[in-house]
Amino acid sequence: MSKLGNLGARLHRGEISYDFIGHRKLWYGISILITITAILGLAVRGLNMGIDFQGGAVFTTEKTSVSVSQAEDYAKEASGHDAVVQKLGNGTLRIQIAGMDTKQSDEIKNDLAKDFKVDPETIAADLVGPSWGDQIANKAWQGLAIFMVLVVIYLAIAFEWRMAIAALVALIHDITITVGIYALVGFEVTPGTVIGLLTILGYSLYDTVVVFDSLKEQTKDITKQNRWTYSDIANRSINSTLVRSINTTVVALLPVAGLLFIGGGFLGAGTLNDISLSLFVGLAAGAYSSIFIATPLVADLKEREPAMKALRKRVLAKRAQASVEEETADARPVSDEPDDDATPAVVGPRTQPASRGRGRGRPSGKRR
Amino acid sequence: MAAPKRGRSASAQSKPGRTLALILIAIVALTGGMFLSGHTTPRLGIDLAGGTSITLEAKADQGSAINKANMDTAVDIMNRRVNGLGVSEAEVQTQGDRNIIVNIPKGTNSKEARDQVGTTAKLYFRPVLAQEATGSAAATSPSPSASGSSTASPSPSASKSGSTGEKATSSSSPSASATSQGRAVTDALKVDSTPSASASASSSASPSAPATGGTDTSSSEAKLQAQYAALDCSKKAQRTTAGEGAKPADTTLGCGEISGVWYKYLLGPAAVDGTEVKKAQAVFDTQTAAGWQVTMTFNGKGSKKFADITAQLAKNTQPQNEFGIVLDGEVVSSPYVSSSITGGNAQISGSFTQDEAQNLANMLSYGALPLSFQEQSVTTVTAALGGDQLHAGLLAGAIGLLLVVIYLVAYYRGLSLVAMASLLVSGILTYVLMALLGPAIGFALNLPAVCGAIVAIGITADSFIVYFERIRDEIREGRSLRPAVERAWPRARRTILVSDFVSFLAAAVLFTVTVGKVQGFAFTLGLTTVLDVVVVFFFTKPLMTLLARRKFFASGSKWSGLDPKSLGAKPPLRRTRRSGPVETKEA
């Protein structure tokens, strides 16, 4: 762990720095590849929609000695439909029957109770009409749309529109990946999954916003200097928040992992498992996208601005000049201060805002 | 932005103890309130406590009928109905624009309740053309064809031949009709019955219309007769299909139970629609000692129609002076009419028990709904399964929390104490608020809400991580702890606020837009996000300020998590390369 702390220190000092922005074409490529795979998976395999979306019933029995295949026969007999039966961790059976009407369910439940020789009251039933899932899905899409609009407005006000766009792209990216994984692996989609997916919205942006916040802070007076391009500073923002991003993601994933394994191991299936699975996938995608997609995208968009273009030109010119000087004079790169850190050429040392340290009356000599 | 914030943080720095005391008092007060109110545990949702949850979706006959007023009426009526039936603590609430959720806790007859709310209520008043007990008295001859044309009931010959057949059966159970539900409709206002003459005159005209069409419809009439003859209402399967698909204008069949005996009915076209009942209630008649009665008030259109039909029925003999109150094909009551009733008020009397009267009144009211409902989902959770899930959820939460704590301890050492204390405070506040919100706004902790709370551990912990990382950055700059804690705060604060806002926005949108399980989750997420801000501002920050004064932390002990050396701080005040990108000479 202290290694990570060490990493933090070195990142902070700029000893190490990962060039996220520089390799952005690679990340874009990877993401586009993943996205295409996800869309293909979605198109070819489709989503495994749960009972809630097609109408049907899920019965959960108490601990029982009836075997799975027996239960399948019983359920088929009682309902006239094929049934999917799972044995759960605690000895109970979960029986899914698709394509049923809520009206038939009581009789089926009673039949099953008779077959299993248990009291109907001990069988839990989850009955869903066919249009209920549509409504949930519609509401979810509606919520998604409203949230996206609001968040774009908010980010455009709190930050700027480029960041809003980039955050939105990252968000869509996360959702696509999550949905794609669901399609490819064939996990069942339930309202729980929808909940998880919708939560990713908040989480994905949460992470992105933290990086953007740092980026905004560091680029406040960017045009007043000509050492760093916007991309350089964006890269530094990612690096300086990297430890936090890792920590946050780990800390967020730990409870969700607990939920996933307890939900899966203890109860086998159900809401807990559904929510945590989509959260797990989505959180991982969200952490990835805020670093590899959102911020590079902001940099890309930003670099198109005339002011940033001009800055880039100045910086490059200066660097070219510096390298020439270095070659000729075998001197250290142009720097107004002694540079005792092995700072890579591109990356700035630390996350200092312009205003800090000023006017504190320290006799540092170089201060104004 | 630095100036005002620095000012604020300075004041916070000066009185961290006061802020801490404030929030601790608040916690004590809330906890005390919780114990005083007696709601020491959060109310559990159906999926955790066991019970039945029914989601109904409104289906409008006319497009505009689904509006807030109608939905509220529906909730009101369902509530009365479910709770009136001895199902205690059932809750009925709207969700979204067109859904109603009915939650029925364990231990009550969920099937009965489901029947009560789930059945689509279509209430009609139909004149009774023929009636007989079924099952035991199956031997009775089918009513003669004459009664077929008696769709227009006032035809005297028809009613005579019809009634002779029925007389036997209806007289065979006179006690039943007397003791059972409403057998007499009387004019509540005791209006003089003289207008009945004119009323009957006009009303006799209207039923004559179907009579003239007798030849055209004879085949369908005959079919209906055959069906009526074959109908055995004591069999459930036949009962449910008896009146199925009948349009209001059709002559139809129906079944009704009176004192445990099933009767079958041949019913004329609907005379009054259930939506034309303005109000119905069960009242205890103290004046005439007639016992429980059901009073009905009709709206304008309904009053007129009711006057017409009663005027017409009053002239007939049993059972054709009865009208069937038909709720979804089932005859819930078939009172006879003794005189024409005008004025829009009527009462049904008989030997009702209070429950029976209440039930009938509810049905009459319920039938007045302009909406019909369709079951969207029914979830029955046994208490055992719910308990299992609750345990699993809590276990998952505990394990998740443990993992987070282990990680924090390993990474932040002594600093993790602050994080853990903050998580604890956050946890207490969440729990207490959940417990208090149960009775206050009907919040019920369901499984998705538990998930939301577990997920929130991550969000809450993130705030500390943001702040701690900022502090460590400051220490790396070579600052000692006290200024580091203060200088890190304004920037960490902004980050926390901005990201929590996004989180809250997501929760708020989810809460308003979505339905069902998603809502509970969104609510918890929103609640914990708000609490996160409260805790970080009023607990974590002042605590940090206080701790920064303690030697253990301030000296940068190895175990404090703030050891400058292991953080890789520069030697203090070697202020070289302090330039950010913006502090170059060229600027």
Side-chain angles (χ1 to χ4, degrees), chain A residues 1-2 4-5 8-9 12-13 52 60 62 90 102-103 105-106 109 121-129 131-132 135-136 139-140 142-143 146-147 150-151 154 159 191 195 198-199 202-203 205-206 209-210 213 217-218 221-222 224-228 233 236 243-244 246-248 250-252 254-256 258-259 262 266-267 271-272 275 279 318 336-341 343 349-358 360 362 364 366-368, chain B residues 1-2 55 57 59 96-99 111 114 236 374-382 384-385 388-389 391-393 395-396 399-400 403-404 407-408 410-413 447-448 450-451 454-455 457-459 461-463 465-466 469-470 472-474 476-477 479 487 491 494-495 497-503 505-506 509-510 513-518 521 525 532 566-570 573-587:
Chain A
M1 286 301 163
S2 61
L4 191 55
H12 181 80
R13 284 197 299 269
D52 297 86
T60 313
E62 281 200 316
N90 49 357
T102 53
K103 292 205 173 61
S105 61
D106 263 350
K109 183 173 161 180
E121 292 293 311
T122 63
I123 296 184
D126 202 341
L127 322 167
V128 181
S131 60
W132 179 232
Q135 210 190 332
I136 291 186
K139 293 281 181 190
Q142 206 182 329
I146 294 175
F147 176 73
L150 288 180
V151 113
Y154 172 70
F159 299 111
I195 294 175
L198 293 172
T199 315
Y203 247 110
L205 282 164
Y206 189 101
V209 160
V210 173
D213 192 49
E217 188 184 298
Q218 298 194 29
D221 293 317
I222 187 168
K224 292 186 190 152
Q225 52 85 43
N226 53 14
R227 268 182 80 185
W228 316 108
I233 295 178
R236 196 167 58 201
V243 171
R244 190 220 62 96
I246 293 170
N247 278 354
T248 304
V250 169
V251 165
L254 286 178
V256 174
L259 209 56
I262 291 301
F266 194 65
L267 291 172
T271 313
L272 281 177
I275 296 182
L279 271 180
K318 196 179 169 204
D336 46 350
E337 292 153 352
D339 199 344
D340 50 1
D341 286 331
T343 314
R350 88 175 55 99
T351 62
Q352 289 282 14
S355 58
R356 296 185 55 229
R358 283 189 185 169
R360 290 178 60 109
R362 300 237 169 143
S364 70
K366 298 215 178 217
R367 302 289 108 199
R368 277 157 286 195
Chain B
M1 61 174 275
T55 308
E57 189 190 2
K59 297 274 182 209
D97 347 302
R98 53 193 303 147
N99 290 99
K111 192 178 173 305
R114 191 179 154 193
K236 193 186 169 216
Q374 201 175 25
E375 269 183 3
Q376 288 295 328
S377 77
V378 183
T379 307
T380 315
V381 178
T382 62
L385 183 66
D388 276 357
Q389 282 173 329
H391 286 143
L395 188 61
I399 289 178
L403 291 174
V404 168
Y407 185 83
L408 289 175
Y411 189 72
Y412 285 117
R413 306 278 168 85
L447 206 50
V450 171
C451 286
I454 293 172
V455 167
I457 297 174
I459 290 184
D462 181 68
S463 304
I465 292 175
V466 168
E469 284 303 319
R470 286 287 195 191
R472 287 160 73 124
D473 277 355
E474 295 294 335
R476 285 173 185 137
E477 291 298 325
R479 291 204 173 74
R487 291 180 64 93
R491 297 199 292 159
R494 196 189 57 187
T495 309
L497 281 181
V498 166
S499 46
D500 269 350
F501 181 82
V502 170
S503 214
L505 192 66
V509 170
L510 285 188
V513 173
T514 52
V515 289
K517 295 173 180 170
V518 187
F521 179 81
L525 206 60
D532 175 39
S566 72
L567 285 178
K570 308 192 130 220
L573 292 182
R574 210 192 120 199
R575 296 202 151 262
T576 56
R577 269 187 74 247
R578 267 199 39 85
S579 61
V582 288
E583 287 194 2
T584 48
K585 287 279 180 196
E586 292 83 354

Side-chain angles (χ1 to χ4, degrees), chain B residues 201-250:
Chain B
S202 63
S203 64
S204 62
S206 56
S208 67
T212 54
T215 47
D216 301 338
T217 56
S218 60
S219 63
S220 65
E221 292 293 343
K223 205 170 142 207
L224 203 62
Q225 283 299 327
Q227 280 175 4
Y228 177 68
L231 181 63
D232 182 357
C233 282
S234 59
K235 295 210 171 70
K236 193 186 169 216
Q238 292 201 18
R239 225 153 51 216
T240 49
T241 56
E244 208 167 52
K247 294 190 185 71
D250 288 347

Side-chain angles (χ1 to χ4, degrees), chain B residues 148-238:
Chain B
S149 64
S150 78
T151 323
S153 52
S155 154
S157 64
S159 65
K160 203 160 244 168
S161 59
S163 58
T164 44
E166 267 69 62
K167 257 282 152 56
T169 58
S170 57
S171 63
S172 71
S173 58
S175 61
S177 60
T179 56
S180 72
Q181 299 184 348
R183 282 274 143 188
V185 173
T186 53
D187 188 345
L189 297 180
K190 302 290 173 213
V191 175
D192 188 77
S193 60
T194 41
S196 68
S198 62
S200 64
S202 63
S203 64
S204 62
S206 56
S208 67
T212 54
T215 47
D216 301 338
T217 56
S218 60
S219 63
S220 65
E221 292 293 343
K223 205 170 142 207
L224 203 62
Q225 283 299 327
Q227 280 175 4
Y228 177 68
L231 181 63
D232 182 357
C233 282
S234 59
K235 295 210 171 70
K236 193 186 169 216
Q238 292 201 18

